[in-house]
Amino acid sequence: MVVNANSTIESNFSSFDRNINTTTLNNSAFTDNVDMIIRLVLIAILFIAMLSLGCTLEISKIKNYLIKPKGVVIAVGAQYGIMPLTAFCFAKLFQLGPMESLSVLICGCCPGGNLSNIFALALQGDMNLSIVMTACSTALGLGMMPLLLYLYSQGFSNLAQSVPFTYIIFSLTMILVPCGIGILINYRAPQYSKIITKVGLTLLLISCVVIGVLAGMSDGGKIFTVLSRQLIAIAALMPLTGFICGYILATLFRMNAHCRRTVSMEVGCQNIQLCTTILKVAFSAEEIGQLYFFPVIYIVFQIVEALIFIVLFRCYQRLRPSQQEMEEYKAVERAAEETNGPSNSVI
């Protein structure tokens, strides 16, 4: 009887272990499949975003800024001078770990993003400068992003060897292709450009929701492990620093008000789609963990802070007298002076 009981217990435990192993394998396979879908969706988002950017570019505008490149040079210099340095300083200041530092550095070294064009429009900035600057920073990113990552990663022990230079160069090369296709479409068939841009923005919003749902299914509550106090603080301070420093730098170079607001938005807004794609595709889950969600936190603060600036600018415009009102006021003052002048002399 004892032998039979022991054999029964052993068989029950072995079947229980087999069930656990089968469930674990099934969950692992499901997670791997969802992870692969997220990677493909991120690549598709990046392609659509750059195609939409290309459709907003006109060859004539590019030529004008190439002939007189002062504005673009200042803006791109601010983009690649301020944000990587800001990312490096914050990573040191908050004493981040190696992979956390790498995530912040990659975000800081990315070229400008499409959102800056929308924000520049809302702030009545120079749209030609905004669009050309985004395109130029994307093209220059092919050399600048790997170079800056190499230089700044030297400030952290054993970090340079973790930077996926090959994949970053490949990604930057690939995003130039849809951008070039968009420029060609806008040149050959401009009637389709606006349609592609509107459809692209709609698909981007839908894709972001899909990624959020898939990530929740794949990672569950582990998503929120990335929300450490240090990373939240950096995600909030980086775009704010970019907006303020970009405006100050443009002011120092005596750019007009429209260009100052444009440079401010361009410097503070990063290409989050590119950053997220690099972090998710170039690294394994064991290496990067949930840190590929850092750009998502960054973009939330980026949008909120930009909207605050837009609201403040709109309020300032409403409270400030319009140009026409100022001219009418000055005309009335001049008329009053002319009227009172002779009477004073008579008295």
Side-chain angles (χ1 to χ4, degrees), residues 286-306:
E286 291 77 17
E287 291 175 315
I288 202 68
Q290 310 307 312
L291 288 173
Y292 71 92
F293 281 103
F294 172 75
V296 178
I297 306 168
Y298 182 99
I299 198 173
V300 170
F301 283 106
Q302 177 179 278
I303 292 171
V304 170
E305 290 165 7

Side-chain angles (χ1 to χ4, degrees), residues 50 53 57 62 66 72 76 79-80 110-112 131-146 168-169 172-173 175-177 179-180 183 271 274:
M50 298 317 297
L53 172 63
L57 285 168
I62 298 173
L66 289 177
V72 175
V76 173
Q79 173 77 50
Y80 285 115
C110 277
I131 293 168
V132 173
M133 181 185 169
T134 303
C136 288
S137 67
T138 301
L140 290 173
L142 186 61
M144 291 300 296
M145 191 174 177
I168 289 171
I169 293 171
L172 289 165
T173 305
I175 66 175
L176 292 177
V177 174
C179 190
I183 295 172
N271 192 330
L274 174 63

Side-chain angles (χ1 to χ4, degrees), residues 104-123:
V104 173
L105 280 176
I106 289 175
C107 187
C109 293
C110 277
N114 301 57
L115 278 175
S116 61
N117 308 138
I118 299 171
F119 296 149
L121 179 63
L123 286 168

Side-chain angles (χ1 to χ4, degrees), residues 33 38-39 49 89 93 104 158 165 274 291 293 297 306 310:
N33 290 333
I38 292 174
R39 294 185 181 200
C89 291
L93 180 65
V104 173
N158 301 323
F165 291 108
L274 174 63
L291 288 173
F293 281 103
I297 306 168
I310 291 168

